[in-house]
Amino acid sequence: MIQHSGLYFTLLFLASLCRGQRSDPDAERPSCSRCDLHLSCDCSHHGFTVVPTVTEHALILDLSFNNITTVTDNDLTGHTQLRALSLHGNQLSVIEPMAFDSLWSLEELDLSDNQLTALENTWFSKLGALQRLNLLNNPYRGLGSPAVFQGLVRLRRLALGGPALQELKRGDLGGVAQLEELTVHANNLTRYEPGALGDIWPLGRVTLSLHEPFLTNTALASAVLCDVSYPETPIILEDLHLTTKLSIQPLRESARRRIRSITFRNVFIADNTIVNLLVVLNGVPVTSLFVEGMTLVGEGRWENASWTDHRSIDEFLIRNVVVLDVYRFVSFLQLQFLLKYPRKVSVINAKVFVLPCATSELLENLQYLDLSDNLLTDLTLAETLCNGRGKLKDLRVLNISGNALKSLSTVSQLVKKLSKLTHLDISRTGYSSMPQGCSWPSLLRYLNISKAKLTTVTPCLPTTLEVLDLSNNDLKDFTLALPALRELHLSGNKLLRLPSGRLFPNLQTLIIQSNTLNMFGRSDLESYRRLQNLQAGQNKFVCSCEFVAFLQLDLMAGEDLHFADGEENYICDSPLDLQGQLVGQVHQSIVVCHQVLFVSVCCGVGLFVGIVLFISLWRLHALWYLKMTWAWVKAKRSSRRRRRVRDRMDSEPLLSYDAFVSYSERDATWVENFLVPELEEPSQNDSISARTREPLTLCLHKRDFLPGHWIVDNIMSAMEHSRRTVFILSENFVQSDWCRYELDFSHFWMFDGNAGRDAAILILLEPLSKDDVPKRFCKLRKLMSSTTYLEWPQEEDRRREFWRSLRIALRGEEEEED
Ligand SMILES: *[C@@H]1O[C@H](CO)[C@@H](O)[C@H](O)[C@H]1NC(C)=O
Ligand SMILES: *[C@@H]1O[C@H](CO)[C@@H](O)[C@H](O)[C@H]1NC(C)=O
Ligand SMILES: *[C@@H]1O[C@H](CO)[C@@H](O)[C@H](O)[C@H]1NC(C)=O
Ligand SMILES: *[C@@H]1O[C@H](CO)[C@@H](O)[C@H](O)[C@H]1NC(C)=O
Ligand SMILES: *[C@@H]1O[C@H](CO)[C@@H](O)[C@H](O)[C@H]1NC(C)=O
């Protein structure tokens, strides 16, 4: 016992835990982000089992055709801007009481095709803005109380009921005052309290499905019809099986209330019930009688009703008719009592293959004849139109769209004498060629030959036309002048360019989508003087700079011309990198679009920069640096080569000179007169030690360079074969190019690691401060600041000391070891 209660509490705890998790907002809820630019979110057909999270800015949320079973109080919180919510086609059985409470802006709510077994008034209590509510096809048996629609003051369209609806009571629709549209599916209704639907007024269109009541409970059906029948309220009756005299009875109620428009939709009917219906409607001012979806059993024997009066019938429409016994069907000839009144007759998709001329002649008042989607051929059309003898003299609109017609000249001959004909619809036919000349009624303004197979346009087309639809043919160009034309439809052809506007001085609308237009421009449109509405999307646009600029600037913001099909239809087809992009959002670079300008500006700038660069390089002696570097690289390479050769021969570097003397040509006299004699042939009477007095070997370029070798190579090898390099510095030196090379090479040599740090010896022939050396000889400047240099004294008595120092410097450390 104790154990049991323990288990019970554990379960309870677990249950509460689960509940807690479920109501935890957004936890593990899937999300849906399929929202477009207009914040319309299409989350349908996604297999959701709970309401997914969606941006709170959404205006339209379509959750139809998922497997959602529950809408919790938290699922839709925050959606205060939502205008339309569809939960159509889910498994919805639970809606928590406050689930819709935050949807203050909701105007449209669709809960149809779900599993709601009861409606709660708490659901809708906060939906003050709701205008449309669809509750069809849920398994609730009644609407429940208190009245569910009480708070819906703006409600204008209401749909309720389903196969399970059994009962409608007075007050069920409390709060619903006026409706534009009411739909009630009550095929299984068994209890109806008269007046349940009676308080709604004004009442727009009413659609009722009352299958069972019409069959088995005509009193109930009468009561329902009685409550919704008003002269101005069109009534649509669906899903009826009218085979007995009794099944027609409920319509007496509507007839008594003098309804004007009645539609039967999806109805099974027999000859005798048609007679009964005509009797019931005798003298009733019904102006429109529509039948959409009818299965007829019988032979068309309705003459027993020929005494009835139907003079008020103005419009008669039958669409989608199946005559079960079509071969036994008698002619309409005895139907004069019916046929002589209506002005509009439509027999659409009824397998009509001919309307005999005799029957046509009965249609005395006919102004509008629609025989679209039937089986007429050129031959039977001739019979129907009495071989063009001009019967149906009041006919203004003829629609024979969707028939198996082949010859355009035949139809033009047949309608020629219909002197009042203004509209002719011969679309969806087999016309494949257009003769050079045709004859048409003189008033023909509207001609629709869309979805035929035309390849050319000829003067067959009448010049009186104001509206011409040639869309979805195979036209490649259009060169016919139509001075009165206001509207031209050319979508779905193969036009490569816009037709010239000069052909249509009055054209206001041009629809030319889905052709093969590559581009068009201002000049093309300027030839259209009156054009206001152009729809040219879905073409294969070549997004050239001119076209993009034109479309973006002149058109999207244009005032006189309106692009009715919207920016999103203008998509680039080429060039490849722009394919698929919206023309309105393409950003093209200046480089691509203004090539000439770009190139000339670039050249100009380039030239300018070049000149500036050249001037500054010239000023900065760049050429000199360049020459230097080149020489340096070359010399270094040959030096390395020499060294490699030497390494291969495994010999020590051969030092053939004590010093290489680098000097300017202009200082040659000093070198020859003072330096060479002093160092190479020292006088014996000097007070210097014998060792010091040993003659030194000097390398002078004048004397020791190999003729025929490149000078830099010579210098290089001279330095390599000399222990030291002596630089004779003077004004002349710094101005002599060769000296500069030598300086640099010595520098390179010094830091190349092969020579000692003091491989260079500077001799200043005249006082020369570091600052006298031009800045660009930075190496020399560096050398001057790092290396001690000897100054050539002007006074005789100090020269001895100078030579001594020089010798010591040349002999290097050997001297110091003494
Ligand atoms: C909904 O669930 C059923 C099974 O319960 C499944 O057959 C169906 O495919 C699901 N529908 C969607 C849209 O996922
Ligand atoms: C109601 O009518 C439908 C056909 O419209 C039928 O299939 C169904 O069994 C009927 N009864 C109930 C209680 O739904
Ligand atoms: C027409 O009326 C006659 C006599 O009233 C009757 O015999 C006949 O069956 C009726 N025909 C139809 C189609 O209702
Ligand atoms: C002719 O009928 C077709 C198909 O029913 C329809 O789309 C078209 O608008 C009709 N044309 C006119 C001029 O009413
Ligand atoms: C021409 O006929 C087609 C097909 O019937 C229809 O879709 C189209 O709207 C008609 N064109 C005009 C301008 O009414």
Side-chain angles (χ1 to χ4, degrees):
M1 180 65 204
I2 290 165
Q3 257 180 344
H4 268 117
S5 66
L7 186 69
Y8 174 75
F9 280 119
T10 313
L11 281 177
L12 219 120
F13 173 71
L14 278 175
S16 69
L17 210 68
C18 290
R19 269 186 67 95
Q21 256 170 8
R22 256 245 310 282
S23 58
D24 180 14
D26 300 357
E28 87 233 15
R29 265 172 70 194
S31 72
C32 166
S33 53
R34 292 193 295 179
C35 302
D36 68 9
L37 289 175
H38 310 293
L39 291 167
S40 165
C41 304
D42 179 6
C43 309
S44 62
H45 295 280
H46 225 278
F48 291 121
T49 51
V50 294
V51 176
T53 54
V54 181
T55 168
E56 288 186 358
H57 303 293
L59 297 180
I60 297 174
L61 176 54
D62 184 355
L63 290 168
S64 58
F65 300 107
N66 285 293
N67 270 348
I68 299 170
T69 54
T70 307
V71 184
T72 71
D73 284 343
N74 293 318
D75 282 347
L76 294 162
T77 46
H79 282 282
T80 53
Q81 298 171 34
L82 197 66
R83 297 273 159 75
L85 171 64
S86 173
L87 283 158
H88 169 82
N90 280 279
Q91 306 287 327
L92 215 56
S93 56
V94 177
I95 296 177
E96 292 186 356
M98 296 187 294
F100 301 139
D101 274 11
S102 48
L103 309 181
W104 306 321
S105 309
L106 199 69
E107 292 170 1
E108 196 175 333
L109 176 60
D110 189 344
L111 297 173
S112 57
D113 287 291
N114 278 293
Q115 301 299 326
L116 300 170
T117 48
L119 303 178
E120 305 287 341
N121 70 325
T122 49
W123 296 346
F124 309 128
S125 59
K126 299 275 165 51
L127 301 181
L130 200 69
Q131 295 173 19
R132 298 167 174 224
L133 177 60
N134 189 344
L135 297 167
L136 287 177
N137 300 332
N138 279 284
Y140 49 84
R141 290 154 166 254
L143 295 185
S145 60
V148 286
F149 309 118
Q150 206 66 57
L152 304 179
V153 289
R154 298 248 179 95
L155 195 67
R156 294 296 174 267
R157 284 163 199 243
L158 175 62
L160 57 90
L165 187 69
Q166 293 187 335
E167 183 173 33
L168 281 174
K169 295 198 304 288
R170 266 199 107 104
D172 275 356
L173 278 95
V176 182
Q178 89 186 65
L179 287 180
E180 288 162 13
E181 201 170 325
L182 172 66
T183 305
V184 181
H185 283 191
N187 282 331
N188 288 338
L189 198 68
T190 52
R191 284 189 298 281
Y192 181 79
E193 202 172 328
L197 297 172
D199 291 336
I200 309 167
W201 199 87
L203 182 58
R205 186 207 311 261
V206 174
T207 305
L208 297 172
S209 300
L210 293 167
H211 181 82
E212 287 296 316
F214 262 82
L215 271 181
T216 59
N217 192 347
T218 48
L220 189 149
S222 298
V224 176
L225 279 178
C226 174
D227 278 348
V228 296
S229 296
Y230 301 99
E232 302 300 332
T233 301
I235 292 207
I236 297 148
L237 295 169
E238 293 182 335
D239 307 332
L240 299 186
H241 195 91
L242 304 173
T243 46
T244 63
K245 189 173 175 182
L246 197 63
S247 62
I248 293 297
Q249 284 307 314
L251 288 167
R252 285 189 186 280
E253 211 50 58
S254 299
R256 203 166 55 78
R257 293 180 153 254
R258 307 186 82 72
I259 57 162
R260 303 242 182 89
S261 169
I262 183 160
T263 301
F264 294 96
R265 194 180 283 159
N266 184 23
V267 58
F268 189 93
I269 202 163
D271 266 351
N272 64 329
T273 30
I274 287 184
V275 170
N276 283 327
L277 180 66
L278 292 172
V279 170
V280 164
L281 295 180
N282 174 36
V284 176
V286 170
T287 56
S288 308
L289 181 60
F290 300 145
V291 183
E292 292 178 4
M294 174 173 83
T295 305
L296 177 67
V297 276
E299 300 164 7
R301 300 194 175 279
W302 308 333
E303 62 267 25
N304 276 11
S306 61
W307 56 271
T308 52
D309 170 13
H310 298 285
R311 68 182 67 220
S312 61
I313 290 224
D314 187 51
E315 193 175 353
F316 179 62
L317 178 142
I318 307 181
R319 190 199 298 266
N320 307 338
V321 178
V322 178
V323 179
L324 286 183
D325 216 350
V326 71
Y327 297 107
R328 308 243 309 271
F329 204 75
V330 297
S331 85
F332 288 103
L333 278 175
Q334 0 85 25
L335 297 181
Q336 194 186 10
F337 70 99
L338 262 183
L339 297 182
K340 68 179 179 194
Y341 301 112
R343 285 185 302 134
K344 275 182 92 168
V345 169
S346 305
V347 183
I348 302 169
N349 188 21
K351 303 207 168 60
V352 173
F353 54 88
V354 67
L355 200 63
C357 175
T359 309
S360 302
E361 281 176 322
L362 296 177
L363 295 159
E364 290 170 24
N365 275 314
L366 201 66
Q367 295 183 3
Y368 179 108
L369 178 61
D370 188 342
L371 291 172
S372 51
D373 294 305
N374 282 298
L375 303 170
L376 299 177
T377 63
D378 288 331
L379 211 67
T380 58
L381 181 68
E383 170 64 22
T384 303
L385 296 177
C386 302
N387 288 309
R389 287 199 308 274
K391 307 288 171 176
L392 300 169
K393 58 185 184 343
D394 281 334
L395 200 66
R396 284 153 209 217
V397 179
L398 177 61
N399 192 347
I400 43 177
S401 150
N403 282 285
L405 304 170
K406 293 233 153 53
S407 165
L408 199 54
S409 61
T410 304
V411 73
S412 83
Q413 286 297 328
L414 291 175
V415 298
K416 183 183 168 192
K417 289 204 177 128
L418 299 175
S419 58
K420 291 191 179 161
L421 195 73
T422 57
H423 285 60
L424 178 62
D425 191 338
I426 44 177
S427 60
R428 298 183 293 129
T429 45
Y431 299 130
S432 57
S433 69
M434 202 179 267
Q436 283 304 317
C438 305
S439 46
W440 298 99
S442 60
L443 294 178
L444 195 67
R445 292 197 312 257
Y446 169 104
L447 182 61
N448 192 342
I449 329 183
S450 67
K451 292 195 185 149
K453 301 183 176 80
L454 297 174
T455 53
T456 51
V457 168
T458 70
C460 167
L461 295 175
T463 52
T464 51
L465 287 182
E466 292 176 16
V467 177
L468 173 61
D469 192 339
L470 285 170
S471 46
N472 300 305
N473 279 285
D474 279 329
L475 303 178
K476 293 193 179 57
D477 57 2
F478 195 110
T479 50
L480 184 70
L482 293 170
L485 207 64
R486 285 185 292 105
E487 217 179 293
L488 178 58
H489 300 252
L490 290 172
S491 298
N493 281 287
K494 292 176 180 157
L495 277 82
L496 280 167
R497 61 182 68 84
L498 285 185
S500 165
R502 277 184 289 278
L503 303 170
F504 325 106
N506 283 303
L507 199 71
Q508 291 166 8
T509 299
L510 175 60
I511 301 175
I512 187 163
Q513 298 175 323
S514 305
N515 275 273
T516 44
L517 296 186
N518 285 333
M519 61 179 78
F520 50 87
R522 179 126 298 264
S523 59
D524 292 315
L525 292 186
E526 263 161 8
S527 64
Y528 291 87
R529 285 189 282 145
R530 300 245 163 100
L531 197 65
Q532 291 165 359
N533 172 353
L534 175 64
Q535 299 180 24
Q538 290 148 22
N539 273 293
K540 301 216 172 301
F541 291 119
V542 175
C543 283
S544 69
C545 297
E546 301 80 39
F547 179 67
V548 169
F550 163 68
L551 212 70
Q552 287 181 348
L553 279 169
D554 298 358
L555 298 179
M556 298 306 176
E559 279 138 33
D560 5 328
L561 193 62
H562 184 56
F563 270 70
D565 53 346
E567 208 182 317
E568 64 272 18
N569 283 303
Y570 292 79
I571 296 170
C572 297
D573 187 59
S574 63
L576 218 58
D577 56 319
L578 296 178
Q579 200 168 41
Q581 286 192 37
L582 295 187
V583 180
Q585 288 172 7
V586 163
H587 296 290
Q588 270 169 323
S589 65
I590 295 173
V591 184
V592 179
C593 288
H594 302 281
Q595 241 159 17
V596 172
L597 184 71
F598 182 76
V599 167
S600 31
V601 166
C602 277
C603 284
V605 170
L607 204 65
F608 179 74
V609 169
I611 289 171
V612 167
L613 204 68
F614 182 77
I615 291 176
S616 37
L617 286 183
W618 179 70
R619 298 272 319 250
L620 295 172
H621 308 275
L623 268 176
W624 175 80
Y625 281 114
L626 220 63
K627 226 160 83 186
M628 283 280 288
T629 311
W630 184 64
W632 185 85
V633 167
K634 207 167 155 183
K636 183 157 175 160
R637 197 182 302 136
S638 58
S639 142
R640 206 180 295 141
R641 195 171 50 236
R642 271 199 304 276
R643 207 178 314 151
R644 228 180 292 127
V645 169
R646 216 167 48 211
D647 287 350
R648 215 179 300 135
M649 302 196 319
D650 211 15
S651 60
E652 281 296 297
L654 200 69
L655 291 178
S656 10
Y657 302 105
D658 287 311
F660 166 62
V661 185
S662 170
Y663 60 98
S664 162
E665 207 50 55
R666 286 183 234 164
D667 296 323
T669 39
W670 184 84
V671 172
E672 284 158 20
N673 294 345
F674 290 93
L675 186 76
V676 175
E678 182 64 34
L679 295 181
E680 292 198 336
E681 310 134 21
S683 52
Q684 297 301 311
N685 55 354
D686 269 347
S687 61
I688 313 160
S689 70
R691 177 130 160 64
T692 325
R693 238 183 288 116
E694 263 173 37
L696 292 158
T697 47
L698 299 180
C699 174
L700 303 182
H701 67 263
K702 228 178 184 178
R703 193 180 63 190
D704 302 311
F705 278 13
L706 291 172
H709 277 224
W710 190 52
I711 183 97
V712 179
D713 272 346
N714 260 325
I715 294 173
M716 248 0 249
S717 90
M719 282 199 220
E720 272 175 326
H721 294 115
S722 309
R723 197 175 288 123
R724 302 272 191 277
T725 304
V726 178
F727 294 97
I728 314 298
L729 296 188
S730 67
E731 281 295 332
N732 299 331
F733 182 94
V734 250
Q735 265 140 40
S736 150
D737 278 0
W738 294 124
C739 297
R740 286 179 211 132
Y741 284 143
E742 292 153 25
L743 187 69
D744 252 272
F745 298 142
S746 122
H747 189 223
F748 138 68
W749 198 237
M750 275 191 311
F751 297 103
D752 219 27
N754 280 19
R757 274 175 60 234
D758 36 32
I761 297 165
L762 304 186
I763 295 175
L764 264 59
L765 284 191
E766 48 208 8
L768 195 69
S769 123
K770 197 179 84 182
D771 301 326
D772 294 340
V773 180
K775 281 220 172 59
R776 65 190 141 114
F777 304 141
C778 56
K779 295 242 170 81
L780 175 58
R781 287 164 69 103
K782 215 149 117 209
L783 213 58
M784 282 178 76
S785 53
S786 69
T787 311
T788 46
Y789 41 83
L790 304 167
E791 265 179 73
W792 174 244
Q794 296 304 314
E795 305 87 20
E796 283 281 348
D797 48 339
R798 285 182 52 205
R799 285 187 185 160
R800 180 176 298 276
E801 180 58 27
F802 168 83
W803 292 123
R804 210 181 91 83
S805 307
L806 181 57
R807 266 206 205 88
I808 292 173
L810 282 174
R811 295 218 188 272
E813 67 273 339
E814 300 162 37
E815 194 73 13
E816 268 132 59
E817 276 162 21
D818 278 344

